[in-house]
Amino acid sequence: DSGVTQTPKHLITATGQRVTLRCSPRSGDLSVYWYQQSLDQGLQFLIQYYNGEERAKGNILERFSAQQFPDLHSELNLSSLELGDSALYFCASSVGRSSGQETQYFGPGTRLLVL
Amino acid sequence: AQSVTQPDIHITVSEGASLELRCNYSYGATPYLFWYVQSPGQGLQLLLKYFSGDTLVQGIKGFEAEFKRSQSSFNLRKPSVHWSDAAEYFCAVGPGGSQGNLIFGKGTKLSVKP
């Protein structure tokens, strides 16, 4: 158990819909990262938040957005969903803002299926 | 651009046999290197990491990896594989540019024969 929690574990929805994925980092960790894992793209970095502020952006679509709240939990919002958005979404956390040195601890993931 | 290549998509080894999973990276500076393992239905667990110093690093579950700068490689090894090692293994390099994120390889799925 990494200490990172993600809800829900599974999500089934229809195209065009909007969903929210939630992540609680390990106690004391200030950074939250979101990754998408799909069969064709592998593990792709989406976005990082550090202590409530957006710190880095990766291959995140404009239809996707995220935020980190004062209690440090984070939400990833996916809207206008398409079939291709079906994937496993991971949240990870680390202690600081990360220069790449820090260990990132991963949650169990949310499996999203868009029908 | 930074990248990580894991040449083997799927490897099958017999229980008790030795294991080596290959990882090659492309990176402009000294990389930070990681190996993660993902068991079915689970998140990623860190096996080991290399930042600097001794190029042979020890990790959990009896795994080790060796950083070879001249070959841009960071191969994962285990002398004797157990059935519980069956999983998918990911090599990663960080940071991704000025960001702190990790760049992952596509993964190597390990099957263990009894």
Side-chain angles (χ1 to χ4, degrees):
Chain A
D1 185 356
S2 67
V4 178
T5 60
Q6 288 187 249
T7 56
K9 283 191 175 180
H10 303 276
L11 202 46
I12 302 175
T13 188
T15 54
Q17 294 298 305
R18 171 191 165 96
V19 297
T20 298
L21 313 183
R22 183 189 168 104
C23 167
S24 292
R26 292 188 323 152
S27 177
D29 283 0
L30 298 179
S31 270
V32 168
Y33 310 78
W34 287 98
Y35 291 86
Q36 179 193 59
Q37 185 180 36
S38 61
L39 282 175
D40 52 345
Q41 296 291 325
L43 265 161
Q44 299 272 311
F45 167 68
L46 296 178
I47 197 164
Q48 177 198 358
Y49 277 81
Y50 171 74
N51 204 20
E53 302 280 332
E54 181 184 303
R55 165 138 175 87
K57 246 181 181 177
N59 300 321
I60 188 166
L61 299 172
E62 284 193 13
R63 300 183 284 109
F64 296 1
S65 65
Q67 55 184 326
Q68 187 179 27
F69 295 87
D71 67 352
L72 301 176
H73 90 271
S74 177
E75 292 181 356
L76 178 67
N77 300 296
L78 315 177
S79 61
S80 302
L81 285 166
E82 302 175 359
L83 296 178
D85 298 327
S86 296
L88 192 51
Y89 291 84
F90 284 111
C91 167
S93 71
S94 69
V95 171
R97 63 165 56 91
S98 183
S99 60
Q101 269 194 350
E102 295 179 356
T103 296
Q104 294 182 23
Y105 295 89
F106 282 75
T110 293
R111 185 169 295 279
L112 173 66
L113 180 59
V114 182
L115 300 175
Chain B
Q2 298 97 344
S3 65
V4 176
T5 302
Q6 293 180 248
D8 304 305
I9 296 173
H10 191 186
I11 283 183
T12 300
V13 301
S14 297
E15 191 167 17
S18 64
L19 171 70
E20 182 168 25
L21 301 182
R22 296 183 290 163
C23 172
N24 293 97
Y25 65 89
S26 173
Y27 198 78
T30 299
Y32 303 131
L33 294 159
F34 305 80
W35 274 99
Y36 282 85
V37 60
Q38 183 180 22
S39 298
Q42 304 293 315
L44 283 80
Q45 180 183 24
L46 180 70
L47 285 176
L48 47 79
K49 59 189 177 185
Y50 171 77
F51 292 161
S52 64
D54 192 348
T55 57
L56 184 63
V57 293
Q58 302 297 320
I60 62 171
K61 304 185 180 186
F63 285 92
E64 66 178 27
E66 186 170 12
F67 170 59
K68 292 186 177 179
R69 185 188 301 275
S70 61
Q71 298 176 18
S72 297
S73 70
F74 188 57
N75 295 347
L76 181 72
R77 301 194 295 248
K78 187 170 184 178
S80 177
V81 169
H82 188 262
W83 63 267
S84 60
D85 294 324
E88 191 151 19
Y89 292 80
F90 292 90
C91 181
V93 65
S98 59
Q99 305 166 354
N101 60 286
L102 299 176
I103 298 169
F104 284 88
K106 290 290 178 77
T108 297
K109 184 174 181 180
L110 173 66
S111 297
V112 181
K113 289 190 301 186

